[in-house]
Amino acid sequence: MLVDLVISIAILVFLLSFGTPLPFCFGGALMYMTLCTDIGSMSGMFLWGFEQLINPVLLCIPLFVFAGNLMSESGIADALLRLCNLLLGRFKGALGTVAVAACAIIGAISGSGLTGVAATGPLLIPRMEAQGYDRAYATALIANASVLGLLIPPSINMVVYGWVTETSILACFLSTLLPGLLLMLIFCLVNACYVRRRPIRVSGESFGQALKKLPQTGLAALPALMMPVIILGGIYGGIMTPTESAAVACAYAIPVGLFIYRGLRPKSISMAAKESATAVGSIMVMVLFGLMLSQQFVFGGLPQELADFLLGVTRNKVVLLLLINAVLIFVGMILNDVTGILLMSPLLLPLVKAMGIHPVHFAAIIGVNLSMGTLTPPFAGILYFSMRIGKVEFADIVGPVTLLLCLGYIPMCFLVTFWEPLAMWLPRFFGLV
């Protein structure tokens, strides 16, 4: 049986290495497991997978994607950027800080890192370059900051993890909140050090001018600011579930975009719905095959085999955690974040439970590691998308991206792994664990 499991994984890696679409990679490995082993029938797996796929919890994924697309088109993101620039624009390097904060907020509202890049990149990258920022650095900063949308709740990754592992989604949301906020602070500090060595121009208002414009700009940004308040307040106030909050976000974004910011048009709403449906359709097919393959691995005993193997290598908890981080970093390099969670959560959870690690703590570990994978080739979905938005070459952006990874995400992987309160303090404070 172990040989069959290894062959299945080899087929998966082989197909991935040739750039095969992810659903077909999982489908190929799943086909081998079905045809060449007696673990389970394909029809039974499809029925089980479909039952899992129609879970109401997953409904928040298309709704958050739709809300993010609406926000990009509606003018909500522009209103938030104008307010941030008014408050901070008079300080040297403030535009970089505004970019980090805006990407984190916008990405968090939509639950996706790509939305942060799409909403802020076309507007901020040219403005940062005009102020004296290197274009590749500006693009790298926005790319790294947009990944914060995968950590600061509500996060699609944590929805998937909580669903797969049957862990409280609210607790998973809170487990990555402090790491996400700490990373946002680190990127702001890195940017502050960067601008000290460059002739960055200041284009913001003086303090007096900003004070005069603050009521008008703040009032204009108030509907945009209410969006995260409604979403997060509804979830943590116990008023709405994550799925309900995603639906409310969509319902709120449409009238605000149509009648207040007037960036939306009926045609743009239909286009946003079409783009969301296309994106979610591909995600759900991938989720179905990934979930079925993970279940085959579980039935075949791969999690226990993996746990026995690692425990046979060493029983030192620190070494085991380092090995788990190395595995997750590698998986993040070859799979996207949602797929990595679908595949690795069922495999590694028995091991981390045996080590005495709480599933909510592991949510933060896997969340930070696989979020970083969106910036590390060969997969690096957010990195490649940012390169297209910023119109920069890989050779130019790899340096600043590597710097931000080394100063931000890699230390955070170790910090969240070995300092448990960083992930567990908020869930315990709210009585979720």
Side-chain angles (χ1 to χ4, degrees):
M1 183 58 66
L2 183 59
V3 174
D4 290 324
L5 293 171
V6 171
I7 292 174
S8 178
I9 294 173
I11 291 172
L12 176 63
V13 174
F14 176 78
L15 292 174
L16 284 168
S17 65
F18 282 91
T20 308
L22 285 170
F24 297 115
C25 296
F26 286 104
L30 182 63
M31 187 177 296
Y32 173 83
M33 292 292 290
T34 304
L35 297 177
C36 301
T37 70
D38 56 356
I39 291 179
S41 68
M42 181 68 81
S43 59
M45 280 287 101
F46 263 114
L47 283 173
W48 176 84
F50 182 74
E51 287 177 0
Q52 301 303 310
L53 210 59
I54 60 175
N55 191 313
V57 171
L58 291 186
L59 184 59
C60 68
I61 294 178
L63 290 173
F64 274 129
V65 172
F66 185 40
N69 286 331
L70 289 173
M71 187 173 58
S72 298
E73 298 285 341
S74 64
I76 291 175
D78 291 344
L80 292 172
L81 288 174
R82 283 194 295 271
L83 178 62
C84 290
N85 193 50
L86 180 69
L87 294 173
L88 301 172
R90 64 185 179 276
F91 301 109
K92 184 178 180 181
L95 195 56
T97 302
V98 168
V100 171
C103 287
I105 293 170
I106 293 168
I109 293 173
S110 67
S112 167
L114 293 175
T115 304
V117 177
T120 61
L123 179 64
L124 287 180
I125 292 173
R127 291 179 62 181
M128 291 175 72
E129 186 180 28
Q131 285 194 10
Y133 288 84
D134 179 73
R135 191 176 186 90
Y137 167 81
T139 304
L141 183 66
I142 286 178
N144 277 266
S146 295
V147 178
L148 299 176
L150 305 175
L151 299 175
I152 299 175
S155 163
I156 291 174
N157 286 0
M158 291 298 101
V159 172
V160 174
Y161 175 86
W163 168 64
V164 170
T165 61
E166 299 181 349
T167 306
S168 166
I169 293 176
L170 293 182
C172 294
F173 279 170
L174 289 173
S175 72
T176 57
L177 177 56
L178 288 181
L181 293 176
L182 187 56
L183 276 169
M184 185 170 68
L185 177 61
I186 290 171
F187 292 145
C188 290
L189 293 175
V190 171
N191 182 70
C193 295
Y194 171 86
V195 298
R196 290 181 62 184
R197 297 180 284 109
R198 294 186 66 88
I200 304 296
R201 293 180 290 279
V202 178
S203 62
E205 308 283 351
S206 66
F207 179 76
Q209 292 172 323
L211 201 59
K212 290 178 182 178
K213 291 185 177 181
L214 183 59
Q216 180 182 357
T217 306
L219 186 63
L222 185 60
L225 290 170
M226 286 303 296
M227 194 168 179
V229 171
I230 290 171
I231 295 172
L232 298 180
I235 292 174
Y236 294 114
I239 302 170
M240 297 180 285
T241 65
T243 302
E244 291 167 344
S245 71
V248 170
C250 295
Y252 180 80
I254 291 175
V256 167
L258 283 172
F259 304 116
I260 297 179
Y261 296 118
R262 300 180 181 179
L264 280 182
R265 297 288 184 272
K267 185 177 180 180
S268 61
I269 294 176
S270 63
M271 287 298 297
K274 182 179 178 181
E275 290 175 9
S276 301
T278 303
V280 170
S282 63
I283 289 173
M284 287 306 178
V285 172
M286 179 181 66
V287 167
L288 175 62
F289 285 123
L291 195 63
M292 290 167 64
L293 183 61
S294 296
Q295 192 69 4
Q296 291 275 39
F297 287 161
V298 171
F299 286 161
L302 184 58
Q304 191 59 47
E305 294 282 355
L306 182 62
D308 291 343
F309 172 75
L310 291 176
L311 290 172
V313 173
T314 178
R315 291 191 174 270
N316 186 296
K317 186 176 180 179
V318 173
V319 176
L320 285 171
L321 286 172
L322 289 173
L323 288 172
I324 289 172
N325 274 271
V327 168
L328 290 174
I329 290 173
F330 173 74
V331 169
M333 293 172 67
I334 61 172
L335 296 174
N336 69 33
D337 44 336
V338 173
T339 310
I341 288 173
L342 283 169
L343 186 62
M344 299 309 298
S345 297
L347 295 182
L348 292 176
L349 194 59
L351 173 61
V352 298
K353 281 183 175 179
M355 295 164 58
I357 295 173
H358 197 283
V360 174
H361 182 199
F362 186 57
I365 295 172
I366 198 170
V368 174
N369 273 282
L370 295 182
S371 296
M372 182 176 68
T374 61
L375 297 168
T376 51
F379 186 79
I382 289 179
L383 176 62
Y384 299 145
F385 184 63
S386 302
M387 288 166 55
R388 289 199 299 270
I389 294 292
K391 299 177 183 177
V392 296
E393 299 296 327
F394 180 78
D396 298 322
I397 199 175
V398 65
V401 164
T402 302
L403 175 66
L404 291 167
L405 285 173
C406 291
L407 294 177
Y409 285 103
I410 292 177
M412 186 56 61
C413 287
F414 294 106
L415 192 60
V416 79
T417 299
F418 295 107
W419 188 34
E420 189 228 36
L422 184 61
M424 296 296 291
W425 184 80
L426 281 177
R428 284 178 178 143
F429 179 80
F430 283 93
L432 297 173
V433 294

